[in-house]
Amino acid sequence: MNIHGIVVAAGSGARFGASKGTVVLGGRALWEWGRDALLAGGAASVVVVGAGGLEGGLRRRDSVARGLAAVPYGASHVLVHDAARPLVTPSLVRRVIDRLAVGDADGVVPAIPVRDTIKRVDGESVVETVERSALVAVQTPQGFLLESLRAAHAADDNDASDDALLIEWWGGTVVMVPGEESNLKITYAGDLSIAEALLP
Ligand code: CTP
Ligand code: MG
């Protein structure tokens, strides 16, 4: 396996109030935490999109596409990671890689069980309660066979909140491995102080 990492750090950060590429946690940029975890967990190299690295795209998937275009020759697999998840650990990265190494899936996603009761709503009205046992919350880094992710990106141009969804639309196989509760996503400004409290 020759594994290459992509950390996406572009975007406007509308919900946070600033682009994730500019956010600092514990004295280091969010993307630095992610890059270092990918390298420590087994990626041979990492490219950063946004934050002064490669120029980002309009949508997350466009930023990933820029990163895919910069993957070094000879890479066989790619890990796509959100800069917005700085608390990812090398051991989670290794878990994703080890599952990829089995070789039976196009994509591997870290996922954690949903704790809360989930309800479908329409405005303020509760419509139904969704069966929780069949639901997981999906994180990054997500790992892929490079050729599969490239084909999935080429197959359509719909927006997607993660890369696994592109693989699903393309008809590929995605499997999950246990994620980490601490691997939270910084989406709103208040999430930063939660991440600070969890810093190693
Ligand atoms: N991202 C990116 N390029 C984009 C949009 C998002 O590289 N055009 C990255 C962000 O930097 C982040 C990850 O994708 O690390 C997840 O995106 P999100 O947290 O939704 O960031 P934003 O899209 O910037 O925020 P918002 O949706 O609140 O505007
Ligand atoms: Mg977004």
Side-chain angles (χ1 to χ4, degrees):
M1 290 174 96
N2 183 330
I3 304 149
H4 180 76
I6 298 170
V7 175
V8 287
S12 58
R15 289 170 291 177
F16 184 87
S19 173
K20 304 299 156 46
T22 67
V23 178
V24 172
L25 171 71
R28 306 171 73 218
L30 294 185
W31 60 265
E32 291 183 273
W33 292 98
R35 176 201 59 191
D36 291 358
L38 293 189
L39 290 170
S45 58
V46 175
V47 65
V48 179
V49 182
L54 293 177
E55 199 186 327
L58 202 56
R59 305 167 298 173
R60 183 186 180 280
R61 66 163 289 166
D62 303 319
S63 294
V64 174
R66 300 265 172 94
L68 278 175
V71 168
Y73 184 78
S76 60
H77 295 77
V78 66
L79 299 170
V80 183
H81 182 63
D82 288 343
R85 293 188 190 270
L87 299 181
V88 57
T89 64
S91 85
L92 177 57
V93 175
R94 272 191 292 272
R95 195 179 306 149
V96 171
I97 291 173
D98 288 348
R99 186 63 187 84
L100 268 180
V102 174
D104 60 346
D106 297 293
V108 176
V109 298
I112 56 173
V114 176
R115 288 167 182 259
D116 300 317
T117 297
I118 305 291
K119 296 186 190 292
R120 194 182 309 282
V121 294
D122 180 9
E124 64 168 19
S125 299
V126 170
V127 176
E128 64 167 335
T129 300
V130 183
E131 175 54 38
R132 182 175 51 197
S133 61
L135 297 179
V136 293
V138 169
Q139 308 179 334
T140 69
Q142 301 186 348
F144 303 94
L145 267 170
L146 177 59
E147 289 317 313
S148 298
L149 189 59
R150 283 202 162 130
H153 267 260
D156 75 77
D157 190 43
N158 296 311
D159 199 7
S161 54
D162 73 355
D163 296 279
L165 179 52
L166 297 174
I167 295 282
E168 293 161 43
W169 283 337
W170 174 66
T173 318
V174 179
V175 296
M176 62 173 203
V177 294
E180 291 176 341
E181 297 284 352
S182 57
N183 185 23
L184 61 88
K185 176 163 174 287
I186 294 177
T187 303
Y188 299 96
D191 298 333
L192 199 54
S193 38
I194 301 173
E196 252 151 33
L198 292 172
L199 273 181

